[in-house]
Amino acid sequence: MTFPNFLSLLLLALPSSADAANPAVRLLPLVVSRSEQACLPDGRWCVSLSIPEGDSDQRLPIVRAGGVPATAPQGRPEGSYSKQTEQVWPNLILLPDGGFLAGIETRTATSYSGGGGSATVLQLFRVKPDGDASPAPVLTVPIAAALMIRACFSERDQEQRRGACHDEYDFAARLELAGDGADLPELTYVSQAHAFPRGASRFADSTQGPRLKQSDLIRSRDPQCSVSRRFRFDAAAGRYQPDAPLPDCSAYTDP
């Protein structure tokens, strides 16, 4: 998965001095008009994705005052069976200094024989009131995933699996404001991961497992990848850091 290693965010029209002086940090939902643009319901600010220039494949989020139509193309295919698309994170965090935290969601979709899946990663960028932006994301976290993998290859497999011929995995996370920080606000990251049937694992051959019971045909929560973390901005590193390491959830987030 490839992400932009450079970001240029342009604030074309600055908020009023009254807005800039507002001490409240707010997370506001955006209304998504299409993948390349999302706006506050009143149209006051919009976040859109720019069109890559020259040979660059970078998609650059732009914060504007008022809506401006975006015409950026969809993500480019990466081979015959995989592609990436980018869209605006449907939220905007207003900062006390008049700046913002804006995000890009990058979705990778893959198809293969008898199944497929997708996974989405969120990159959060800082936009200063003067229009300058962080040259790299201040936070990168998995935000969503869904996978379906074929598990039956014969009549025996169908019997062993009680007709449940796919292993299914889903992952969903949300990002919320958690409180004031020394520089940027603290954030809470909460994830939930589930697998079907109970006991399904991408690291084991499903055809070699014991015959499923009726009680196994449920969507079960994975406690290792269902977590809550508090992120604080580390000014020295220029990135948010969690209060505890995030677990390896690649079984869910790597399609």
Side-chain angles (χ1 to χ4, degrees):
M1 187 178 295
T2 302
F3 299 107
N5 56 16
F6 167 78
L7 179 70
S8 174
L9 293 174
L10 177 63
L11 190 61
L12 295 187
L14 300 180
S16 69
S17 58
D19 295 331
N22 188 341
V25 175
R26 292 174 287 165
L27 187 152
L28 300 178
L30 301 174
V31 177
V32 179
S33 57
R34 50 188 174 277
S35 64
E36 300 93 350
Q37 180 170 285
C39 303
L40 293 182
D42 61 8
R44 192 178 188 186
W45 287 299
C46 290
V47 182
S48 61
L49 301 183
S50 69
I51 301 174
E53 297 181 0
D55 296 331
S56 172
D57 60 358
Q58 297 167 357
R59 301 295 298 276
L60 309 178
I62 300 173
V63 178
R64 302 178 186 269
V68 178
T71 57
Q74 293 292 322
R76 304 174 183 180
E78 294 189 345
S80 301
Y81 302 102
S82 179
K83 68 177 182 178
Q84 282 189 343
T85 55
E86 294 82 24
Q87 69 176 31
V88 173
W89 182 50
N91 295 281
L92 185 64
I93 297 178
L94 278 59
L95 303 176
D97 65 0
F100 308 89
L101 290 176
I104 301 174
E105 293 182 348
T106 300
R107 180 178 182 269
T108 300
T110 303
S111 60
Y112 35 82
S113 176
S118 66
T120 302
V121 169
L122 168 64
Q123 291 181 298
L124 202 62
F125 297 89
R126 183 177 189 175
V127 186
K128 297 181 181 178
D130 61 3
D132 290 337
S134 57
V138 295
L139 178 66
T140 301
V141 288
I143 204 76
L147 307 169
M148 185 172 68
I149 299 175
R150 184 172 63 171
C152 293
F153 300 90
S154 67
E155 290 187 8
R156 175 186 176 278
D157 292 342
Q158 294 182 29
E159 293 177 0
Q160 289 286 98
R161 301 272 303 190
R162 293 182 173 268
C165 284
H166 286 89
D167 287 341
E168 300 175 14
Y169 305 87
D170 63 84
F171 179 94
R174 67 180 188 272
L175 199 64
E176 301 175 344
L177 290 176
D180 294 335
D183 187 4
L184 294 180
E186 295 184 5
L187 304 172
T188 297
Y189 174 82
V190 179
S191 67
Q192 293 284 340
H194 296 84
F196 172 88
R198 179 166 54 191
S201 171
R202 293 184 72 182
F203 306 114
D205 184 350
S206 61
T207 64
Q208 301 302 311
R211 188 172 190 269
L212 292 180
K213 302 174 183 178
Q214 187 65 37
S215 59
D216 292 325
L217 302 182
I218 61 171
R219 178 173 169 265
S220 59
R221 177 178 177 271
D222 184 336
Q224 178 180 337
C225 290
S226 300
V227 302
S228 178
R229 296 288 188 270
R230 194 178 184 98
F231 278 85
R232 296 178 175 86
F233 185 69
D234 183 336
R239 296 182 62 84
Y240 275 94
Q241 303 289 355
D243 55 3
L246 290 175
D248 178 7
C249 296
S250 56
Y252 295 90
T253 61
D254 185 1

